[in-house]
Amino acid sequence: MTVAESMTGFDVREIQKILPHRYPFLLVDRMLSIENGVRGQGIKNVTINEPFFQGHYPGKPIMPGVMIVEALAQVGAIVLMNGQREKRLTPYLAGIDTLRFRRPVVPGDQLLLEVELTVSRGDVGKMKTKATVDGQVVVQGEMMFALKEEKDA
């Protein structure tokens, strides 16, 4: 493995060079480590300022599970896309398998988001995913992805 294939993390400015997502839908604040096309760890700092907390739920804010799943998918996309920035590919979430939610996520939590590529066949594949808070599993399971080449308009 070369240095270019495995690296320590980077901040949100580098993340924005890889992902098309922007506020309020960019859900990864920092990458802690990344092995391009293989695995990675990212962080999502959960604050009361998140727009979804206004309605989910008033008086008892809980991060929606779909937002945690999206954060995991974004870390997966970073792992897939970081080594292929020159290519015009867009990552898509293609499926969710055996995903289980273990505990709620609330403002003040820091999500550790981990993904590992387990199957890759051409432009589709599968990743093991896990999100933890303070060492406790919040969500874990498998997700499928697809990479599609962008076409010029």
Side-chain angles (χ1 to χ4, degrees):
M1 170 175 36
T2 68
V3 172
E5 293 169 338
S6 180
M7 60 191 289
T8 56
F10 43 81
D11 66 16
V12 72
R13 293 171 295 186
E14 285 298 310
I15 291 168
Q16 288 179 321
K17 291 177 184 175
I18 301 167
L19 294 182
H21 307 76
R22 296 297 180 262
Y23 178 84
F25 217 68
L26 180 59
L27 299 173
V28 182
D29 295 318
R30 172 172 287 285
M31 288 299 291
L32 298 178
S33 65
I34 184 169
E35 189 175 338
N36 294 340
V38 179
R39 69 178 58 83
Q41 291 183 322
I43 291 289
K44 167 62 179 155
N45 295 305
V46 182
T47 72
I48 192 63
N49 298 323
E50 308 286 351
F52 47 76
F53 283 135
Q54 292 179 18
H56 199 267
Y57 299 107
K60 186 178 170 130
I62 297 173
M63 186 174 185
V66 296
M67 301 305 278
I68 302 168
V69 170
E70 176 61 26
L72 284 163
Q74 288 180 19
V75 169
I78 293 166
V79 168
L80 293 169
M81 302 299 296
N82 188 52
Q84 303 186 55
R85 292 190 199 193
E86 71 285 349
K87 295 181 182 175
R88 299 188 57 176
L89 299 173
T90 302
Y92 291 96
L93 180 61
I96 300 171
D97 296 329
T98 66
L99 200 69
R100 298 291 180 257
F101 294 87
R102 308 288 184 202
R103 76 179 273 286
V105 174
V106 298
D109 284 346
Q110 184 179 67
L111 282 168
L112 174 61
L113 306 159
E114 302 175 77
V115 301
E116 181 178 355
L117 185 70
T118 57
V119 176
S120 180
R121 291 188 187 101
D123 61 354
V124 297
K126 191 178 272 196
M127 291 184 163
K128 284 188 349 188
T129 64
K130 179 169 69 171
T132 58
V133 172
D134 295 329
Q136 294 182 339
V137 175
V138 172
V139 177
Q140 70 185 116
E142 292 182 318
M143 292 185 198
M144 295 173 57
F145 65 87
L147 297 172
K148 300 294 180 190
E149 189 169 353
E150 293 180 32
K151 304 290 183 196
D152 290 328

